[in-house]
Amino acid sequence: MLFLSQLINGLQLGSIYALVALGYNMVYGIVKLLNFAHGDIIMVGAYIALFSLNYNHHPVVAALLTVGGCTLLAIVIEKTAYSPLRLAPRLSLLITAIGVSILLQNLAQFFFEARGRAFPADRLLPTGTVSIGDATVSYTSLLTIGISVASMIVLTFIVNKTKLGKAMRAVSEDTGAAQLMGVNVNVVITFTFAVGAALAGVGALMYGVRFPLITPTIGAMLGLKAFVAAVFGGIGSIPGAMIGGFMIGLLEVLVIHMGYSGWADGVVFMLLIIVLLVRPTGIMGRNLMEKV
Amino acid sequence: MLKVENMNVYYSNIHAIKGVSFHVNEGEIVTLIGANGAGKSTILKTISGLMHSKTGSISFNGENILKVAPHRIVRRGLAHAPEGRRIFLQMSVRENLEMGNYTQSAATMRERMEQIYVHFPRLKERHKQVAGTLSGGEQQMLAIGRALMSRPKLLMLDEPSMGLAPLLVVEIFKIVRECNEAGVTILLVEQNANMALSISDRAYVLETGNIALEGSAEDLISNDEVKKAYLGA
């Protein structure tokens, strides 16, 4: 059935956007920074995975290297670029994030060359298809959705049940009050960047499988799309990022299926404009009303 | 127990606290009274490390905490229930209390929570409820309960009566006194001077960043100037 296979196709794409959007929203929730370098961390992750797999590492090793590499990179960026600006105006921080993004893209061009490299997706996930009813669905689609959803469940557990996760929520709601509880805000910020980047690492693997041509600029468009997903879902909201990501993925696949593949990106950004006009807080966005 | 000497705090160019010195002895309830903008909350924020004094010292149990980070000050036994309650509105009542326990061991948390629930049975009834849906009085109780979770030796309360119905104000002050009787020293900031002085040992009257008057609560309650300016008599 065409509908089912397109639905799974859309969910696969959407789960990648959701993973990336989560990183945006978690960081925004804590430091009110739109981390525009987030997409480029994924680009670096995709290269790590590519080299590791070409080096004949076991897929699990490659995955761990990718997730670990992205996490480490994000911590280094946070400590060197963002942390010194903690008391600076938010705009300085935003401009710095754009600077980091440009830096990463250019470093990647310098070290990895500008040409596209083929991502060895078949070494990471099993190839082949499975029939569900009349529909034929690839293993990689199902695995991508499964791994992404599993990552989100782990994240939800961390945020809701662990001490650091609760501290994250407390800091994102009221940094000063969290400090008065004894929370070391710097630790929470670093932890948030690390968790966001770990999800980005998973996203990098899934992106490579879906679009197996890696260039130094893949992070830019992916980052922007995930940003739209984040705004659509509600900036700063974790469930919002998940919902937003899946919605954007489904929308894109729908537009392509209708025969307007050239319009897919345009429709996504049109959606951003509409959301900003109609409901700037997004689907899950908080009302700014508070009980006094 | 707490000794503030020559505190000077600035909001960029505005000199908000001008060389204030005062102290709190162990076991006391001490109140800072003063009009809006006199600098009461700023003093508490400076003690707990959220703001900084350019001069002087803040000594707590004999150690200078002037340059200690806020999250470390809580560990030393100084809790601050800030102005406007500042509870975590999107977290449950229980989670708010868990945050209060952040510096303490998880093993003793349940026991401590039960002790808090004795003072605040309403919080126990609503422990699963999201804090933002509580009434103003319940939110204030949660703010105090949360601060008590850290087992403070000194508890600073900023305007606990703000926005509450008179009956609730009486209840809150009753609880403050109970905490004090249980061994917690209290530094209170209040606009409701009448109520505050009635439970305090001593008080300081603040006027635009200076201490204008100090003395025992009994003396201040019968002082003509204080009566005129703060007690509405």
Side-chain angles (χ1 to χ4, degrees), chain B residues 3 16 28 35 37 45 62 66 77 103 110 113 122 132 138 148 156 179 183 194 213:
Chain B
K3 199 168 165 67
E28 279 188 317
K45 280 188 211 157
L66 187 67
T103 56
R110 178 153 290 188
M113 229 177 251
R122 293 284 280 282
E138 290 161 345
L148 286 170
M156 302 195 291
C179 295
N194 219 341
L213 217 55

Side-chain angles (χ1 to χ4, degrees), chain A residues 26-91:
Chain A
M26 288 167 65
V27 166
Y28 187 83
I30 301 287
V31 278
K32 303 288 172 280
L33 159 71
L34 292 171
N35 182 14
F36 278 118
H38 192 59
D40 301 291
I41 290 176
I42 293 156
M43 174 271 296
V44 175
Y47 274 105
I48 296 174
L50 184 149
F51 289 127
S52 171
L53 290 167
N54 281 344
Y55 203 73
N56 274 328
H57 282 151
H58 188 277
V60 175
V61 176
L64 289 177
L65 281 175
T66 306
V67 172
C70 286
T71 307
L72 196 68
L73 178 63
I75 292 175
V76 170
I77 292 171
E78 196 272 316
K79 290 283 176 209
T80 55
Y82 301 150
S83 173
L85 294 172
R86 193 122 315 151
L87 301 175
R90 297 296 89 178
L91 188 60

Side-chain angles (χ1 to χ4, degrees), chain A residues 163 166 169 173-174 180, chain B residues 86 88-89 95 98 102:
Chain A
K163 194 171 175 181
K166 284 176 191 168
R169 283 156 62 207
E173 209 179 307
D174 188 334
L180 291 179
Chain B
R86 307 267 295 262
F88 303 112
L89 295 170
E95 284 174 329
E98 283 176 23
Y102 197 79

